[in-house]
Amino acid sequence: MTHCDSSTSSTGTMVTSRKQYVVSRPVYSEDSLAEDHEKIQRKHKALTAHVKEYLTCDAKRAKAAVLSALPVIGWMRSYRVREWLLGDVVSGVSTGLVAIMQGLAFSLLASLPPSYGLYTAFFPVLTYFFLGTSRHISVGPFPVLSLMVGAVVTRLVPDEGAHANITDFEGLTQDQRRVLVASSMTFLMGIFQLAMGVLQVGFIVVYLSETLVSGFTTAAAVHILVSQLKFVFGLTVPGISGPLSIIYTLEKIFVQITSTNICDLVMSIVIMVVVFIVKELNDRYKAKLPFPIPIEVIMTVIACGISYKLNFEDRYKVDVVGKMVSGYESPIAPSVEVFQESAVEAFPVAIVGFAVAFSVAKVYSIKHDYPIDGNQELIAFGVSNIFGAAFSSFAASTSLSRTAVQESSGGKTQTAGLISAIIVMIVTLALGFLLAPLPKSVLGALVIVNLKGMLMQLREIPYLWRRDKPECVVWVATCLGAILLGLDLGLALGLGVELLSVVFRAQFPRCSILANLPGTDLYRDQKDYLQVFQPKGVKIFRIPSPIFFANIEFLRSKLVEAVGFSPQRVLRKRERALRKIKATFQKRDPTITEKALEDSCWTTPDEMCANTEEMDPPCDPKDVSFQINMNADLPPGINFPRVDLHSLILDFSAVSFLDISAMKGLKTALKEFIRIDVDVYIVSCDALILEKLHSCMFFDDEIQTSMFFPTLHDAMLHVLEKFKDNRTVDVRNI
Amino acid sequence: MTHCDSSTSSTGTMVTSRKQYVVSRPVYSEDSLAEDHEKIQRKHKALTAHVKEYLTCDAKRAKAAVLSALPVIGWMRSYRVREWLLGDVVSGVSTGLVAIMQGLAFSLLASLPPSYGLYTAFFPVLTYFFLGTSRHISVGPFPVLSLMVGAVVTRLVPDEGAHANITDFEGLTQDQRRVLVASSMTFLMGIFQLAMGVLQVGFIVVYLSETLVSGFTTAAAVHILVSQLKFVFGLTVPGISGPLSIIYTLEKIFVQITSTNICDLVMSIVIMVVVFIVKELNDRYKAKLPFPIPIEVIMTVIACGISYKLNFEDRYKVDVVGKMVSGYESPIAPSVEVFQESAVEAFPVAIVGFAVAFSVAKVYSIKHDYPIDGNQELIAFGVSNIFGAAFSSFAASTSLSRTAVQESSGGKTQTAGLISAIIVMIVTLALGFLLAPLPKSVLGALVIVNLKGMLMQLREIPYLWRRDKPECVVWVATCLGAILLGLDLGLALGLGVELLSVVFRAQFPRCSILANLPGTDLYRDQKDYLQVFQPKGVKIFRIPSPIFFANIEFLRSKLVEAVGFSPQRVLRKRERALRKIKATFQKRDPTITEKALEDSCWTTPDEMCANTEEMDPPCDPKDVSFQINMNADLPPGINFPRVDLHSLILDFSAVSFLDISAMKGLKTALKEFIRIDVDVYIVSCDALILEKLHSCMFFDDEIQTSMFFPTLHDAMLHVLEKFKDNRTVDVRNI
C-alpha cells in the first residue's frame, strides 16, 4: 500500500479551503482520464464459475443447509423455557379461540361445510412448526384465499345445475365433491409454492407492491362483503364465479330481498353494531385495558346460547352451522382432473397466500429482530398446504388479525401455534356439538365487521392521486379489475398495469436543455434559472431516464425539438443542393474535381459565417483547396441549408441502462448529427454502459470513444477550446 | 435581456485556460445554490388547461383537422402527373399481379376459399386510398394475420365435428359460415383499430419492440410452414387451434405421411427449388437486372398450364383452386355472436396488423421524406377493415414483399395501390376461370419459399445472447410462446416478458462504492482504479438505477452491505445498552438525569474516539453536560456498539424516478442512519424528484433539505470541512 498526500498529486491539485470549491486539473475526456489514472481491468466471473461455487459442498455448508431446511432446530436449541413457555401457552389458547371462529367463518367463504375450516386451522400448523422461519405468524385460513378457493368450488360444483365433467366425482355427495375440489386445488397450490421455494424464486413477491396489494385486498373485501350478504339476509343465493360474478350475485340478492329472514338480519345487525363499538373502544383504550375484550368470542357464545334456547333453527328457519363431523377424515388423494380445471386459479392463490404470509412475517421479524427466509417460507407453506390438502383442509396462509392476537398475547415461538392447533383439535374432536346451533348469519356478521380495515384502504385513492398518478392508476385498476373480473384475473391485470407503470415512468421523461450557471462548473435546466451561460453553437441535452426500445423514438424526437432542426432532413437537403451545385459548376468549369467541390460545400469558409446568423461549423480555411462563395455563386433556386449548431453534448448521467434496440436508434441519431458536421459528445456515461457499447460494436469510423467525457464541464471546456476564435457569449435572460 | 461577461461573475470565477480545468467557487448545497443563483418558479400547466387547449377550435385548426382526416387531399393537390403517373401505373400493374398470387395463397392460411383473398386485396385498398398517410405501402392480406384469422375460423367452424353454437350459422354452408366468422372478426378488428385511432393511442405499438416482433414473426413463419405442409403433401388435415395445436397438426401429418400425393409433392419441390434459386440470383444481380425476374408469376402460369393440360385434378387427384365465384357478393352484416367468440383474438390481430403496416410505412416515409401519422393510420386501417369486412374480405394490413414491389417498381402515391386493386378486380370479374386448374400445392410451395427471410431471423439468437441476455430471453420466450401457445397468447406472453425485462434491468443494478480520483473532483468506482482517495468515516454509495417498489429492498440490503453494518441492529443494540447503562448509573448516582445520560451515550467524546478504531461521529464536547468514559465505566457485559462511519453520501445522479412505495422505504433507510448519528447526504438529485419529495412530505425534523448537494465533490468538501480536525487520509492500494 502506498500512502501519498492527496493535495499534491502528479496530475493536479485539489485545495480544500473553507467552504470554497477550488479545482485545477487538466480537462479530461474519458480516454485521457483512463490514461492518467491507472485503471484496473476487472474480470467478470463467468456463469460457470457461479454455478460451480453454488454447487460446492462441505461439512459447514451441509450443516447450514440442514439448519435452514429445519428452522425448528435453530430456535428449539435456544428456547428459554422459563421466559417463553408461559407466554406461548397463553398466546396459543387465545389464538386457538380466534382460529376456531375464523375457521368456521372462512369455510363459508370457501363454500364448504364449517368443520373443514377447523381442519385448515389444524393440519398446516403442524408442518409449519417444523419448517417455518417466522416465529410469530399464525398459520391457517385467510379470508381472501378462502374466497378464491370458493370461486373454483362453486364453478366446478355449482349449487344448481350440472357439475363439471370430472369422473372422480362419481359416487360422491355434493359436499364431498366440493371438499375434493378444494383439497385438490390446495394440493396443487402447495406444489406451486414448494416448486418456487426449491427454485429459489421467492423474490417474485416484490412485484406485489404495497399499492397493488392494497388495491387487491380492498377488492377482496368487497367480494367478501357481497358473499356474506346472503347469510346476513338469510337468503339462498347460488355461488357464481367468473367475470362480473359480483354483479350477478348482487342482482340475485336484490331480486329475493323480500324473502329476507328477519331473525337473521336483526341478529346480524345487532352483532355488527356491538362488535364494531367494542372494537373501537378496544382501540381507544388500548393503553388502559390489560387485554382487548374478546367480544367476538363472547358474542358467538351468546348467539349460540340464544339460538339453542329459542330453537332458531326450527322456529325461524335460521340456517345454522349444524352437526359437525366429529374427528378427522382419513387422507384422500387429490384429483388430477381437478388439477387441470383449477391450475390457472391455483397459481395466483399460491402467490397471494405466500405474499400475505411473508409480508406479515416480515413485519414481526423486523420488530423482534430475527431473520426470515423467503424461499424457506415458500417451502414451509408448500409442504403445509400439501400436507393439509391430504387431510381435506383448504388453502392456508395467515390472517393478519389472528397473527396480531398471537403476537400481542405473548407468543414467542411457533410453540404458540402448536398449542392453538391443539385447542382447535379439542373442538373438532369433542366440543363441536356446542357450535351446532350457531346461526351462519352470526359468522357472516363477524366476517363483515372485520372488513373495516381492508375497506378503509379506499382512503388511499385521493392520497395517491395527489402524490403519484401512475401509482393511483395501479391501485384503481387492480381494485376495479379484481372486483369486476374476479380476484385471479384482477391480480394479473394489476400486475400488468404495475409493470406498465414502471415502463411508463421511464418512457416519457421530461427532457431538458441544460446551461451553465455563470461562474460555476454546474449545469442546470436553462428554464429554471434567470442567469445562465449558453455558448453559441453548443446545445446540452439531458436524457433523464434509461434508454430502451419504448422511448428511443420519443427521445430522438425531443432531441430534434431541442436543436430546432431535423438532422436527417438537413442532410438530405444538403445532398440535393450538392448535386445541383455540382452540375452547375461542372458546366461552368469542367476542371473542378468532385472532391474539391464536396469539400467546399461541406465546410463553409469563415468569411461567410461572419455574415450569416445560421452558421456551419467553421474550419481552418487552409485545409480547403477550393472555395466557393456560396451566397454569391450559388445558382438561383439552390439553397445550401446550414445549422447554427457545431457541438451537441448529451448528458447521460441518468441513463441507467441501454438495450440493443435503443443502441441501434442511438447510433443512427448520433450519425445523423455527425454527418452534418455537428460534434457530438456524451458525458457522465456509466462505466457499465460504456463497456456494453464496446462489446456491441457501437464504435466505428464516425462514432469514436473520444466523444466521451467524464463531466459536462470537461466537454464544455473542450468545445470552447476547439472553437476559441469564434466564441460568442450569450447570457440569456428569459 | 442583459449581457454580461461570464468570466467575472459575483459568485466566483471560471477560467478557461488551454486544456486546463480550473474552477474556484463556493461549496454549494442545493439550498445555498438556490440562494446564490436566482431560480425561476415554474408553474406547471394544470390538466384542465391542457384539455382546454386541446379542445380549442378555430378556422386554421379546422382546416388542419380536415386535411389530416383525409390525407388524399394533401397529396392529390401536389400530384405531379407527368413525373408520377407512369410510375404509378407500372407499379400498380406489377403490384396487382403479386397481390393476386398472395391473395390466393393467403386465403389458404385463413382456411377460406381462394376468391376471398382477392377481395381482401381489393376492398381495403379503396378506403385506404382516401384515408392513409403512407404513399407506398400496399394494403391487403398479410400472412401472419391470415393465419391468426384462420385459427379462429377453424376453431369456430372445424373441418370435422360440430361447429360452435352460433345461431347466425343456421342455413349456411360450411364455407359461408367460415366467411361469416372471418368477416365478423375482421369487422371487430377494424372497430378496435378505429377506436384506438380516435383515442389517439397509436403510440402503444412502441411496446412491440424489434426483438419482440422478430421473435413473433419467426414463430408465425413456423406456424405458416406447418399449415402449408398439408398442401405440399396433398393431405387432408383438419385445422387445429389452441395451445399446442402445432404439435397436434404435425402429429396428424406424420400419421398420414404414407398417403402423400406424389404429384403434389414433386410439383411443390420443383417450384420451391426453382423459385429459391431464381430469387437468390435476383438478389445477387440486383444491380445488373433492369427489374427482378417475376419468377412466382411465371411458375404459377406454367403450373396452371400443365395442370390444365394434363388434367391433374382428375388424373392425380390433385387439390386445385377450382371454380371461383365470379364477381362480388352483396354486403353482409357481421355476426354479434362471432364478436363475442373472437374478441380475445381480434384484439391482438388489430395490434399486429397495425404494427406491421406502421413499421413498413415508416421505413418508406423516412426514405422518401414525408410525414406519416400513427393515429391516422389506425383510423385508415380501422375503416378499411370495417369496409372490407362488409364485403366478405378478411383482415388486411400490408405485406413486406408486396410493398417492396410497389415501391421499387416506381410507385409514388396510393394511385399505384388503386391501380393494383383494379388489376385484382379484373381477375375477380373476368379472368378467375384461368386460375381454376392451379393446384393448391403450388400456392403452398410459394408461401413456404417466401418464409426464408422470416426464418433466417433465428440467427438473432446467438447475436442477442452474446450482447444482451434479457433481450435474448424476450426473443426466445416470444418465439417459443407463440409457437407452442398460439400467436395471440404468445404475443401476450412476449409482451409480459418484455415489460418484465425492463423492470428487471432496473431492479438488480450493480451498486458501487465511489472514491475520489486523487487531485480531481471526479469520483469513480473504487474497485476500478489503483489510486483512490477515501477519507475515513465517509462512504459514497452510488444508486445506479431508478428507485421503485421492486428494488428498494434490494438497494437497502446493498447499502447495508456497503457500509458493513445494519443501522437498525446497531440502533437496537444501542438502545438495549443504554437501558442497562441507565439502570447501572442511576443505581450508583440517582441524581443523574436521564437526559444527561442519553446525551452522553449518544455522543462519544473526543478523547475516546482517539483511541478507538471504530469511532462514532464526534461532536463538540462543550455541548455535552455530562460525560462518561464508556470504556472504563461501563459495567461488564455491556457493550455500546459504535460504527466507523460519520457521513454517508448517496449519489442519486442515475435515479431517474422514485415511486411512493420506494419513497417510504428510502425515508426509513435514511432515518435509520440518521438515528445512529451518521450524516446522510444526497447528491445530484434530479430537480423533478426533489420537487416530488417536497410535495409528498418527505422532509421532517430528521430529514432536511440541507442534506442535498449539487455534486459529489461539494458534499465531500462539506464533510471534510465539518470533520476537519480528525481527518485522516487513506489512499488505498487495492
Side-chain angles (χ1 to χ4, degrees):
Chain A
M1 221 202 286
T2 60
H3 276 263
C4 80
D5 195 311
S6 74
S7 58
T8 59
S9 110
S10 57
T11 51
T13 50
M14 181 177 83
V15 185
T16 356
S17 73
R18 177 159 177 79
K19 288 276 179 191
Q20 191 71 13
Y21 182 115
V22 180
V23 171
S24 173
R25 60 166 175 85
V27 168
Y28 284 125
S29 70
E30 286 286 347
D31 290 350
S32 63
L33 184 69
E35 267 170 42
D36 276 12
H37 292 266
E38 289 170 89
K39 206 170 169 186
I40 303 165
Q41 274 299 326
R42 272 209 273 172
K43 280 194 195 80
H44 298 293
K45 234 194 243 176
L47 194 66
T48 47
H50 279 290
V51 172
K52 220 176 204 170
E53 193 183 316
Y54 184 76
L55 293 178
T56 316
C57 182
D58 54 37
K60 215 171 155 189
R61 282 185 98 143
K63 198 182 155 194
V66 169
L67 273 181
S68 87
L70 282 173
V72 65
I73 300 174
W75 61 260
M76 263 300 183
R77 281 199 303 193
S78 61
Y79 195 87
R80 292 182 231 156
V81 178
R82 237 180 276 173
E83 282 177 58
W84 291 356
L85 192 57
L86 184 66
D88 275 346
V89 170
V90 171
S91 154
V93 173
S94 348
T95 313
L97 291 178
V98 177
I100 292 163
M101 304 271 317
Q102 293 194 339
L104 295 175
F106 298 165
S107 60
L108 296 186
L109 291 174
S111 305
L112 293 174
S115 56
Y116 294 93
L118 297 184
Y119 296 172
T120 309
F122 177 70
F123 290 106
V125 183
L126 304 183
T127 38
Y128 189 84
F129 176 80
F130 294 102
L131 299 171
T133 57
S134 169
R135 301 184 190 167
H136 292 92
I137 63 170
S138 165
V139 175
F142 174 58
V144 177
L145 290 198
S146 308
L147 192 74
M148 291 171 91
V149 170
V152 177
V153 167
T154 52
R155 181 167 64 80
L156 296 185
V157 192
D159 287 316
E160 298 159 2
H163 60 74
N165 186 17
I166 288 171
T167 51
D168 292 341
F169 280 176
E170 270 169 42
L172 298 182
T173 66
Q174 172 94 335
D175 278 348
Q176 283 173 327
R177 283 175 189 159
R178 293 195 154 188
V179 171
L180 181 65
V181 169
S183 67
S184 300
M185 187 183 168
T186 305
F187 194 92
L188 187 58
M189 161 205 182
I191 288 175
F192 281 136
Q193 289 180 330
L194 186 59
M196 286 192 286
V198 171
L199 295 173
Q200 309 262 310
V201 292
F203 73 88
I204 58 164
V205 291
V206 298
Y207 295 117
L208 303 179
S209 73
E210 253 179 71
T211 310
L212 184 92
V213 169
S214 165
F216 180 75
T217 48
T218 308
V222 173
H223 275 286
I224 293 171
L225 179 66
V226 171
S227 76
Q228 298 304 298
L229 283 182
K230 64 174 173 185
F231 297 111
V232 168
F233 288 105
L235 303 173
T236 323
V237 177
I240 301 169
S241 59
L244 297 183
S245 63
I246 197 163
I247 309 278
Y248 299 132
T249 306
L250 280 176
E251 189 198 341
K252 290 222 188 259
I253 289 173
F254 283 116
V255 165
Q256 310 182 40
I257 200 89
T258 47
S259 31
T260 299
N261 186 320
I262 300 297
C263 176
D264 269 329
L265 186 61
V266 170
M267 199 157 44
S268 301
I269 291 175
V270 169
I271 284 177
M272 280 195 268
V273 170
V274 171
V275 171
F276 183 81
I277 293 173
V278 175
K279 281 202 153 199
E280 289 293 304
L281 292 177
N282 272 346
D283 248 23
R284 192 166 300 172
Y285 299 107
K286 213 188 282 176
K288 291 183 190 163
L289 290 169
F291 56 89
I293 302 164
I295 183 64
E296 284 154 311
V297 176
I298 294 171
M299 292 310 287
T300 312
V301 171
I302 293 175
C304 255
I306 295 178
S307 169
Y308 178 71
K309 209 71 200 164
L310 301 184
N311 197 2
F312 273 4
E313 186 177 7
D314 294 339
R315 201 182 295 177
Y316 301 110
K317 306 270 170 253
V318 162
D319 198 6
V320 298
V321 166
K323 196 163 172 298
M324 280 200 277
V325 190
S326 173
Y328 294 105
E329 295 176 6
S330 47
I332 53 166
S335 156
V336 177
E337 283 168 295
V338 176
F339 283 3
Q340 289 171 345
E341 291 283 337
S342 66
V344 178
E345 282 110 335
F347 189 70
V349 171
I351 298 279
V352 170
F354 171 62
V356 167
F358 187 68
S359 62
V360 173
K362 205 160 65 177
V363 169
Y364 291 105
S365 84
I366 290 173
K367 188 170 172 196
H368 294 279
D369 191 27
Y370 59 85
I372 57 169
D373 175 352
N375 292 314
Q376 177 63 27
E377 283 295 291
L378 265 174
I379 293 174
F381 275 102
V383 171
S384 299
N385 277 315
I386 292 171
F387 178 73
F391 291 93
S392 312
S393 64
F394 56 86
S397 167
T398 186
S399 138
L400 285 71
S401 53
R402 208 167 59 237
T403 301
V405 168
Q406 176 163 336
E407 194 260 355
S408 63
S409 58
K412 293 278 183 282
T413 64
Q414 281 299 335
T415 313
L418 204 62
I419 289 164
S420 80
I422 292 170
I423 302 288
V424 173
M425 187 180 73
I426 292 170
V427 172
T428 309
L429 292 182
L431 305 176
F433 70 94
L434 291 179
L435 292 167
L438 181 65
K440 283 186 177 175
S441 55
V442 171
L443 291 175
L446 289 178
V447 168
I448 288 176
V449 84
N450 274 306
L451 295 175
K452 187 197 151 208
M454 268 149 105
L455 288 173
M456 290 295 266
Q457 293 178 124
L458 275 167
R459 285 187 301 192
E460 282 189 33
I461 298 179
Y463 174 88
L464 287 174
W465 179 252
R466 275 197 307 275
R467 279 163 181 76
D468 199 356
K469 303 217 169 28
E471 221 147 324
C472 186
V473 171
V474 170
W475 199 101
V476 173
T478 311
C479 186
L480 281 185
I483 288 177
L484 295 177
L485 301 178
L487 291 175
D488 38 6
L489 280 179
L491 185 67
L493 176 79
L495 264 173
V497 174
E498 186 189 55
L499 293 183
L500 259 178
S501 83
V502 174
V503 175
F504 209 73
R505 281 175 208 267
Q507 195 179 350
F508 300 112
R510 194 160 78 175
C511 301
S512 50
I513 298 172
L514 302 188
N516 182 250
L517 297 183
T520 72
D521 54 342
L522 300 176
Y523 293 78
R524 290 297 169 99
D525 190 338
Q526 53 155 359
K527 288 187 192 157
D528 277 344
Y529 288 85
L530 272 175
Q531 287 223 330
V532 290
F533 168 58
Q534 279 188 308
K536 218 178 145 95
V538 184
K539 270 264 152 61
I540 308 173
F541 184 73
R542 177 172 154 80
I543 296 174
S545 73
I547 310 181
F548 59 111
F549 63 89
N551 70 0
I552 178 72
E553 285 304 317
F554 174 82
L555 290 174
R556 280 177 69 175
S557 70
K558 284 283 161 188
L559 180 57
V560 165
E561 207 175 279
V563 299
F565 61 86
S566 155
Q568 208 180 16
R569 193 162 293 178
V570 170
L571 182 67
R572 206 169 308 108
K573 282 189 185 159
R574 283 193 181 180
E575 275 168 353
R576 221 173 287 151
L578 194 67
R579 256 178 273 131
K580 289 192 191 168
I581 295 170
K582 221 181 271 173
T584 320
F585 277 79
Q586 279 181 332
K587 230 181 272 170
R588 289 193 208 164
D589 177 1
T591 63
I592 294 173
T593 63
E594 285 203 15
K595 179 75 185 72
L597 222 144
E598 224 160 279
D599 284 346
S600 73
C601 287
W602 288 110
T603 55
T604 354
D606 247 19
E607 66 261 34
M608 222 193 67
C609 292
N611 53 26
T612 51
E613 261 299 295
E614 296 193 331
M615 64 173 184
D616 237 23
C619 77
D620 194 347
K622 279 175 293 185
D623 296 347
V624 183
S625 55
F626 171 78
Q627 301 286 347
I628 311 171
N629 184 335
M630 294 254 185
N631 287 341
D633 293 354
L634 280 190
I638 297 181
N639 178 23
F640 192 78
R642 288 174 209 97
V643 294
D644 59 347
L645 186 77
H646 57 69
S647 301
L648 175 67
I649 304 178
L650 300 177
D651 180 4
F652 261 46
S653 57
V655 177
S656 41
F657 59 82
L658 184 68
D659 72 5
I660 297 257
S661 321
M663 207 181 285
K664 284 182 201 157
L666 180 69
K667 194 167 176 171
T668 318
L670 298 187
K671 284 201 171 184
E672 283 171 8
F673 279 99
I674 292 171
R675 283 185 187 155
I676 56 166
D677 291 321
V678 174
D679 293 340
V680 182
Y681 303 96
I682 292 176
V683 300
S684 307
C685 182
D686 190 273
L688 279 177
I689 292 180
L690 205 52
E691 212 173 88
K692 189 170 172 184
L693 291 177
H694 273 289
S695 77
C696 293
M697 320 287 164
F698 188 72
F699 300 102
D700 54 23
D701 291 349
E702 290 174 305
I703 299 180
Q704 294 176 321
T705 52
S706 60
M707 66 162 56
F708 285 83
F709 281 78
T711 73
L712 273 174
H713 202 51
D714 281 290
M716 181 59 99
L717 293 178
H718 172 82
V719 169
L720 292 179
E721 173 68 27
K722 191 170 170 189
F723 297 98
K724 217 176 198 171
D725 306 323
N726 54 320
R727 214 177 91 213
T728 49
V729 172
D730 174 24
V731 176
R732 299 197 323 157
N733 200 348
I734 312 162
Chain B
M1 219 202 282
T2 59
H3 276 264
C4 81
D5 195 310
S6 73
S7 59
T8 58
S9 114
S10 59
T11 51
T13 49
M14 182 178 81
V15 185
T16 355
S17 73
R18 175 158 181 77
K19 288 276 180 188
Q20 190 70 14
Y21 181 115
V22 181
V23 171
S24 174
R25 61 166 175 84
V27 168
Y28 284 125
S29 70
E30 287 286 349
D31 290 349
S32 64
L33 184 68
E35 268 170 41
D36 277 11
H37 293 264
E38 289 170 272
K39 206 171 167 184
I40 303 165
Q41 275 299 327
R42 273 209 273 172
K43 280 196 194 78
H44 298 291
K45 236 191 243 175
L47 196 64
T48 48
H50 279 290
V51 172
K52 218 176 205 169
E53 192 182 318
Y54 184 77
L55 293 179
T56 317
C57 182
D58 54 38
K60 214 171 158 191
R61 280 187 100 145
K63 197 182 156 196
V66 169
L67 272 181
S68 87
L70 281 174
V72 66
I73 301 173
W75 62 260
M76 264 302 182
R77 282 199 302 195
S78 60
Y79 196 88
R80 294 181 230 159
V81 178
R82 234 179 278 174
E83 282 175 60
W84 292 355
L85 192 59
L86 183 67
D88 274 345
V89 171
V90 170
S91 156
V93 173
S94 342
T95 312
L97 290 178
V98 177
I100 292 162
M101 304 274 317
Q102 292 194 340
L104 295 175
F106 297 165
S107 60
L108 296 186
L109 291 175
S111 305
L112 294 173
S115 56
Y116 294 93
L118 297 184
Y119 296 171
T120 309
F122 177 71
F123 291 105
V125 182
L126 305 183
T127 37
Y128 188 84
F129 176 80
F130 294 101
L131 298 171
T133 57
S134 170
R135 303 185 189 168
H136 292 92
I137 63 170
S138 165
V139 175
F142 174 59
V144 177
L145 290 198
S146 310
L147 193 74
M148 290 171 93
V149 171
V152 177
V153 167
T154 52
R155 182 166 63 79
L156 296 185
V157 192
D159 288 315
E160 297 160 2
H163 59 74
N165 186 19
I166 289 170
T167 52
D168 292 341
F169 280 176
E170 268 170 43
L172 298 182
T173 65
Q174 172 93 337
D175 277 349
Q176 283 172 327
R177 283 174 188 158
R178 293 195 156 187
V179 171
L180 181 66
V181 169
S183 67
S184 302
M185 186 181 167
T186 304
F187 194 92
L188 187 59
M189 161 204 181
I191 288 175
F192 281 136
Q193 288 180 332
L194 186 59
M196 284 191 287
V198 171
L199 295 173
Q200 310 263 310
V201 292
F203 72 89
I204 58 163
V205 292
V206 298
Y207 295 118
L208 302 179
S209 72
E210 252 179 73
T211 310
L212 185 92
V213 169
S214 164
F216 180 75
T217 48
T218 308
V222 172
H223 275 286
I224 292 171
L225 179 67
V226 170
S227 76
Q228 296 305 297
L229 283 183
K230 64 174 174 184
F231 297 110
V232 169
F233 288 105
L235 303 174
T236 324
V237 178
I240 302 169
S241 59
L244 297 184
S245 63
I246 197 163
I247 308 277
Y248 299 133
T249 307
L250 280 176
E251 190 198 342
K252 289 224 188 261
I253 289 173
F254 283 115
V255 164
Q256 310 181 41
I257 200 88
T258 47
S259 31
T260 299
N261 185 320
I262 299 296
C263 176
D264 270 328
L265 186 62
V266 170
M267 201 159 41
S268 301
I269 291 175
V270 168
I271 284 177
M272 280 194 266
V273 170
V274 171
V275 171
F276 183 81
I277 292 173
V278 175
K279 283 204 151 196
E280 289 292 304
L281 293 177
N282 273 345
D283 249 23
R284 191 167 300 170
Y285 300 107
K286 212 188 282 177
K288 292 183 189 164
L289 290 169
F291 57 89
I293 302 164
I295 183 65
E296 283 155 312
V297 177
I298 295 171
M299 292 312 286
T300 311
V301 171
I302 293 174
C304 255
I306 295 178
S307 169
Y308 177 71
K309 209 75 200 161
L310 301 183
N311 196 1
F312 274 3
E313 185 177 8
D314 294 339
R315 200 181 298 176
Y316 301 107
K317 306 273 170 251
V318 163
D319 198 7
V320 298
V321 166
K323 196 164 173 295
M324 280 199 279
V325 189
S326 175
Y328 293 104
E329 296 176 4
S330 48
I332 53 167
S335 156
V336 177
E337 282 168 295
V338 175
F339 283 1
Q340 289 171 346
E341 290 284 336
S342 66
V344 179
E345 282 110 336
F347 189 71
V349 171
I351 298 278
V352 170
F354 170 63
V356 167
F358 187 68
S359 61
V360 173
K362 204 161 64 177
V363 170
Y364 291 105
S365 84
I366 290 173
K367 189 172 171 192
H368 294 279
D369 192 26
Y370 59 85
I372 55 169
D373 175 351
N375 293 315
Q376 177 63 25
E377 284 295 291
L378 265 174
I379 292 174
F381 275 102
V383 172
S384 299
N385 277 316
I386 291 172
F387 178 71
F391 291 92
S392 312
S393 65
F394 57 85
S397 168
T398 185
S399 137
L400 284 73
S401 53
R402 207 166 60 237
T403 301
V405 168
Q406 176 162 336
E407 193 261 356
S408 64
S409 59
K412 293 278 183 278
T413 65
Q414 281 299 336
T415 313
L418 203 61
I419 288 165
S420 82
I422 292 169
I423 300 288
V424 173
M425 187 181 73
I426 292 170
V427 171
T428 308
L429 292 181
L431 304 177
F433 69 94
L434 290 179
L435 291 167
L438 181 65
K440 283 187 177 172
S441 54
V442 171
L443 292 175
L446 289 177
V447 168
I448 288 177
V449 83
N450 275 307
L451 295 176
K452 188 194 149 209
M454 269 149 104
L455 288 173
M456 291 294 266
Q457 294 178 124
L458 275 167
R459 284 186 302 191
E460 283 189 32
I461 298 179
Y463 174 88
L464 288 175
W465 178 253
R466 275 196 308 274
R467 279 162 181 77
D468 199 356
K469 301 213 170 29
E471 220 147 325
C472 186
V473 170
V474 171
W475 198 101
V476 172
T478 311
C479 185
L480 282 185
I483 288 178
L484 295 177
L485 301 177
L487 291 176
D488 39 5
L489 280 180
L491 187 66
L493 177 78
L495 264 174
V497 173
E498 187 189 54
L499 292 183
L500 259 179
S501 84
V502 175
V503 175
F504 208 74
R505 281 175 209 267
Q507 195 179 350
F508 300 110
R510 195 161 77 176
C511 301
S512 50
I513 299 172
L514 302 186
N516 181 249
L517 298 182
T520 72
D521 55 342
L522 300 176
Y523 293 77
R524 291 298 169 97
D525 190 337
Q526 52 154 0
K527 287 186 192 160
D528 276 345
Y529 288 84
L530 273 175
Q531 286 222 331
V532 291
F533 169 58
Q534 279 188 308
K536 219 176 144 92
V538 184
K539 271 264 152 62
I540 308 173
F541 185 73
R542 177 172 155 79
I543 297 174
S545 74
I547 311 182
F548 60 110
F549 64 88
N551 70 0
I552 178 71
E553 285 302 316
F554 173 82
L555 291 173
R556 281 177 70 176
S557 70
K558 283 284 163 189
L559 181 58
V560 164
E561 209 176 276
V563 299
F565 60 88
S566 154
Q568 207 180 17
R569 194 163 294 178
V570 170
L571 182 67
R572 205 167 310 107
K573 281 188 186 161
R574 281 192 183 181
E575 276 168 354
R576 220 173 291 151
L578 195 66
R579 255 177 274 131
K580 287 191 192 169
I581 295 170
K582 222 181 268 171
T584 319
F585 277 79
Q586 281 181 332
K587 229 182 274 169
R588 287 194 211 164
D589 178 1
T591 63
I592 295 173
T593 63
E594 283 203 15
K595 177 78 185 70
L597 222 143
E598 224 161 278
D599 284 347
S600 72
C601 286
W602 288 109
T603 55
T604 353
D606 246 19
E607 67 260 34
M608 223 194 64
C609 291
N611 54 25
T612 51
E613 263 298 298
E614 296 192 329
M615 62 174 187
D616 237 22
C619 77
D620 193 347
K622 280 175 292 185
D623 296 346
V624 183
S625 56
F626 171 79
Q627 301 287 347
I628 312 171
N629 184 336
M630 294 256 183
N631 286 342
D633 292 354
L634 281 191
I638 298 179
N639 179 22
F640 192 78
R642 288 176 206 96
V643 295
D644 59 348
L645 186 76
H646 57 70
S647 302
L648 175 67
I649 304 177
L650 300 177
D651 180 3
F652 261 46
S653 56
V655 177
S656 42
F657 59 82
L658 183 67
D659 71 5
I660 297 256
S661 322
M663 208 180 284
K664 284 182 201 159
L666 180 68
K667 194 166 177 172
T668 318
L670 298 186
K671 286 204 170 181
E672 283 171 8
F673 278 100
I674 292 171
R675 282 184 187 157
I676 57 166
D677 290 322
V678 174
D679 294 340
V680 182
Y681 302 96
I682 292 176
V683 301
S684 308
C685 183
D686 190 273
L688 280 178
I689 292 180
L690 205 52
E691 214 172 88
K692 188 169 173 185
L693 290 178
H694 273 289
S695 76
C696 292
M697 320 287 164
F698 188 70
F699 299 103
D700 56 22
D701 292 349
E702 290 174 305
I703 298 180
Q704 293 175 323
T705 53
S706 60
M707 64 161 60
F708 286 83
F709 281 80
T711 73
L712 273 175
H713 201 52
D714 281 290
M716 182 59 99
L717 292 178
H718 172 82
V719 169
L720 292 179
E721 174 70 26
K722 191 170 171 190
F723 296 98
K724 219 176 197 172
D725 306 321
N726 55 322
R727 212 177 93 215
T728 49
V729 173
D730 174 23
V731 178
R732 300 197 324 155
N733 200 348
I734 312 161

